[in-house]
Amino acid sequence: MKIKSVLIVGGGTSGWMSAGMFARQHPNLKVSLIESDNIDTVGVGESTIVLFNAFLDAMGMKDEDWMPACNATYKNNIRFTDFKEKGHSFDYPFGGDRGPETLGAWSQIRAQYELPTDSYADFCGSHNIFLARYNKNTKNKHKVLDFEFDRETAYHFDAELFGQYLRDKVCIPNGVTHHVDDVVGVEKDENGYITSVVGESGEKYSADLYVDCTGFKSLLLEQEMGSEFLSYKPWLSNDSALATHIPYTNKEEQLTNNTECTAINNGWVWDIPLWTNIGKGYVYSSDFIDDDTAAKEFKSHLGIEDVDLLKINIKHGVHKEAWVKNVIGIGLSYAFVEPLESTSLVSTLSLLGRLSELLRMYDNKVNQFIIDGFNYGSQVEMNNFKDFVSFHYKMSSRNDTPYWRYQTEGRDFINIGENLGFVPYHRPDGMALNEYERLLYHDNIGHNWPLTPGQGDGVYYLMAGMGIMPFGKIFFERYVLPQGGEDPKEKLEKIKSLYEEWQTDVENTIKYVKTLPSSHQFLQENIYGFDK
């Protein structure tokens, strides 16, 4: 199949991100987008991770231009409150992938000095952890601060406004044709390839490749091309959300550089500080609570009774194929995990990046072998996202409500076999272990944290925050100290020296960070101006 033209069906964030990618990265393609003006967009606020920055660079978008138009703020960290247990919180800062040597050094210090696992973020992360903890930000490079602003900050923004900005400032100026019409049907050839989509106006819109961005409806990929939907239950149980915006009462304190995730009785609440207001949402499971009770619980958490709530139905899972004949699903039309960890935008970016690379590699020519490879890689990646998000529930110690007892005690993620202690790295049939099996395997043989390809440091921050122990005291004394023929006393002295250097570094870093502007002040100085 030779691709000369692309039609994106559906607007929103995924639709206009897709259009922007084609327009900017593939100027030889004819790109058009059709969307209805009768579909309400959610626009509850979006939280990103640093992978999103590469998309902004590819689109040529500068912070000072797009952020004010999208109510955007900077994000340095994800904070999880009451996930491990009530009254406990931990951080997942961006940056600091320092590798196994740093992890090993911290493990030995932690075992010797009996530090809490939470200290992992302070020792192995970049100094971003302290910017997040004290709600400060800076672009300055300083000899005290181990922090790279461009690589270790992400964003919060209004998703609806972001889609509009892409449409007006990136896509249409770069040649994307915009159609406003309701799709009421499709036409196919004798081999099942779509030849056109039919609008309510009677107009027929044709292309070589059709990109389905119609959300959970999956109008083309599922309904027309028959790609089977595979649910993520029982690994993930949250299937509902209530969303709202609330005003600031103390903007200097409430506008933080954190995405706050707070676990409550039947799910968790997001807190996304935008420039003019705070996006709030309650993600929960209808298996444990009905909508009316969830609304009462959410309002009680907010401390606000008079607030408008938007109900969102979550369809978590993945379609068996992302690409069928000449249709590819991007965004919710292909897969969704849940709002935790911002996996929706990440998966959209990942698929777009993979698609763009394939088109460049093969000069816009694709065959079934290439499509099959794309589908395989996409599903593996989505299942890894599913595993990672499910860790946030499975690793918790909470059992104070039926919901949390189910999450932490009532689910078997996998059938791993009778003896966990002898699970090999690969099964006899050659299939690689999934991420959860790998975690169990390493935990069982030595309480060591594994290196998990594709997860980076994220799983370490999560394990540390949940109190999962690497290198226990007994393991350290029996197996670490005697290794290498080195005198145990000398090894302990080295560990002591590392510990003291780390304490001095933390002290100096905190002292410097406290001199920096708050997140609110930083945004005023760099993005919004003091007069706004």
Side-chain angles (χ1 to χ4, degrees):
M1 177 172 61
K2 175 68 174 180
I3 299 171
K4 298 180 180 179
S5 58
V6 178
L7 175 64
I8 298 144
V9 180
T13 307
S14 63
W16 289 110
M17 286 177 68
S18 300
M21 185 276 289
F22 284 113
R24 292 280 297 188
Q25 302 297 306
H26 301 275
N28 57 327
L29 293 177
K30 179 183 177 182
V31 183
S32 54
L33 182 148
I34 179 172
E35 65 176 340
S36 171
D37 60 359
N38 296 318
I39 298 176
D40 293 329
T41 54
V42 176
V44 296
E46 187 69 68
S47 177
T48 71
I49 62 175
V50 291
L51 292 176
F52 182 72
N53 301 2
F55 175 79
L56 297 176
D57 291 341
M59 295 300 102
M61 295 169 62
K62 298 183 182 300
D63 287 1
E64 57 269 25
D65 295 329
W66 77 268
M67 287 182 69
C70 301
N71 205 15
T73 63
Y74 288 114
K75 169 184 173 181
N76 298 59
N77 178 61
I78 308 170
R79 180 161 295 151
F80 295 95
T81 299
D82 294 344
F83 266 80
K84 177 191 174 186
E85 58 195 17
K86 283 189 174 182
H88 179 273
S89 66
F90 64 91
D91 290 311
Y92 173 2
F94 299 135
D97 190 357
R98 301 186 181 189
E101 291 185 3
T102 305
L103 173 60
W106 170 76
S107 296
Q108 294 176 38
I109 290 172
R110 191 207 64 77
Q112 176 65 15
Y113 292 95
E114 298 183 349
L115 299 176
T117 56
D118 288 4
S119 61
Y120 170 81
D122 299 53
F123 188 91
C124 297
S126 78
H127 288 152
N128 206 358
I129 180 65
F130 301 105
L131 293 170
R133 193 164 291 161
Y134 292 94
N135 193 27
K136 304 286 189 175
N137 226 328
T138 182
K139 288 186 177 180
N140 300 331
K141 291 188 178 294
H142 189 280
K143 62 182 180 180
V144 174
L145 205 61
D146 174 21
F147 169 69
E148 296 182 55
F149 178 82
D150 292 336
R151 294 182 62 248
E152 297 177 18
T153 52
Y155 305 88
H156 305 117
F157 59 82
D158 184 306
E160 182 177 0
L161 294 177
F162 185 71
Q164 293 172 4
Y165 185 90
L166 284 172
R167 177 192 68 198
D168 297 337
K169 302 298 183 180
V170 176
C171 297
I172 293 176
N174 280 279
V176 175
T177 302
H178 181 208
H179 304 285
V180 178
D181 203 349
D182 288 292
V183 174
V184 295
V186 303
E187 294 181 341
K188 298 179 182 178
D189 66 15
E190 64 276 10
N191 297 312
Y193 286 76
I194 292 181
T195 57
S196 67
V197 297
V198 182
E200 188 177 46
S201 64
E203 187 77 20
K204 295 182 180 180
Y205 306 92
S206 299
D208 298 315
L209 180 68
Y210 296 83
V211 180
D212 186 348
C213 293
T214 60
F216 289 133
K217 182 166 62 173
S218 194
L219 177 64
L220 300 185
L221 183 66
E222 180 177 337
Q223 295 187 34
E224 292 295 338
M225 308 308 288
S227 182
E228 180 185 359
F229 181 76
L230 308 173
S231 174
Y232 279 154
K233 278 194 172 184
W235 299 278
L236 299 171
S237 58
N238 294 333
D239 57 8
S240 304
L242 296 169
T244 190
H245 289 91
I246 64 171
Y248 286 106
T249 57
N250 186 331
K251 195 170 184 179
E252 178 66 20
E253 293 183 3
Q254 293 172 298
L255 197 163
T256 69
N257 53 9
N258 299 292
T259 297
E260 184 91 23
C261 304
T262 303
I264 60 175
N265 287 348
N266 293 285
W268 62 278
V269 172
W270 76 68
D271 183 317
I272 297 178
L274 303 174
W275 178 246
T276 59
N277 53 51
I278 306 171
K280 291 272 195 176
Y282 181 17
V283 182
Y284 59 96
S285 171
S286 63
D287 292 337
F288 294 89
I289 190 172
D290 61 66
D291 293 343
D292 290 339
T293 308
K296 292 177 182 177
E297 195 172 86
F298 187 29
K299 290 177 181 179
S300 175
H301 173 81
L302 295 175
I304 304 172
E305 185 62 33
D306 185 17
V307 60
D308 293 328
L309 301 179
L310 173 66
K311 171 67 190 303
I312 303 169
N313 295 316
I314 295 173
K315 181 182 177 183
H316 47 62
V318 60
H319 285 86
K320 192 172 182 179
E321 302 92 10
W323 193 340
V324 180
K325 298 186 185 295
N326 62 340
V327 171
I328 182 169
I330 297 291
L332 302 181
S333 64
Y334 167 58
F336 185 67
V337 181
E338 70 153 82
L340 199 65
E341 291 285 2
S342 308
T343 53
S344 179
L345 269 184
V346 175
S347 61
T348 296
L349 288 169
S350 179
L351 262 68
L352 285 175
R354 190 177 297 117
L355 175 61
S356 180
E357 183 64 19
L358 285 174
L359 294 177
R360 276 195 295 268
M361 288 172 61
Y362 298 106
D363 191 29
N364 297 340
K365 299 174 185 175
V366 296
N367 56 27
Q368 193 58 46
F369 182 82
I370 293 170
I371 291 174
D372 288 346
F374 180 90
N375 286 335
Y376 175 78
S378 299
Q379 189 169 121
V380 166
E381 187 165 52
M382 288 306 305
N383 287 337
N384 279 339
F385 289 152
K386 175 262 294 178
D387 285 344
F388 182 51
V389 170
S390 69
F391 296 163
H392 295 68
Y393 303 103
K394 189 66 173 179
M395 290 181 183
S396 171
S397 299
R398 289 190 60 165
N399 63 358
D400 51 295
T401 66
Y403 172 89
W404 284 105
R405 281 195 295 275
Y406 170 77
Q407 301 296 343
T408 60
E409 300 173 3
R411 296 187 299 168
D412 292 324
F413 278 64
I414 52 172
N415 179 11
I416 197 170
E418 294 182 359
N419 191 336
L420 291 176
F422 296 96
V423 176
Y425 276 98
H426 290 81
R427 298 189 183 96
D429 63 5
M431 293 297 289
L433 297 173
N434 68 26
E435 296 299 329
Y436 189 63
E437 289 173 311
R438 192 170 298 170
L439 290 179
L440 292 180
Y441 171 65
H442 281 266
D443 183 65
N444 190 68
I445 65 171
H447 257 43
N448 186 15
W449 287 355
L451 294 174
T452 53
Q455 299 288 4
D457 270 11
V459 72
Y460 295 163
Y461 287 122
L462 181 60
M463 294 175 80
M466 293 293 191
I468 307 297
M469 297 289 188
F471 287 138
K473 181 82 169 176
I474 295 175
F475 183 90
F476 171 72
E477 292 174 347
R478 287 183 181 176
Y479 301 107
V480 177
L481 285 181
Q483 283 181 355
E486 187 176 7
D487 186 338
K489 290 184 179 179
E490 292 182 4
K491 185 171 283 190
L492 287 173
E493 282 298 317
K494 288 182 179 179
I495 293 172
K496 180 182 178 183
S497 177
L498 282 172
Y499 179 52
E500 291 173 348
E501 289 175 10
W502 172 58
Q503 287 181 309
T504 300
D505 176 71
V506 169
E507 182 180 335
N508 291 337
T509 301
I510 290 174
K511 184 177 179 180
Y512 173 67
V513 164
K514 286 183 175 180
T515 68
L516 297 172
S518 68
S519 292
H520 180 219
Q521 293 165 346
F522 182 76
L523 285 162
Q524 284 183 316
E525 293 172 7
N526 292 276
I527 302 298
Y528 289 95
F530 283 97
D531 59 334
K532 295 184 179 181

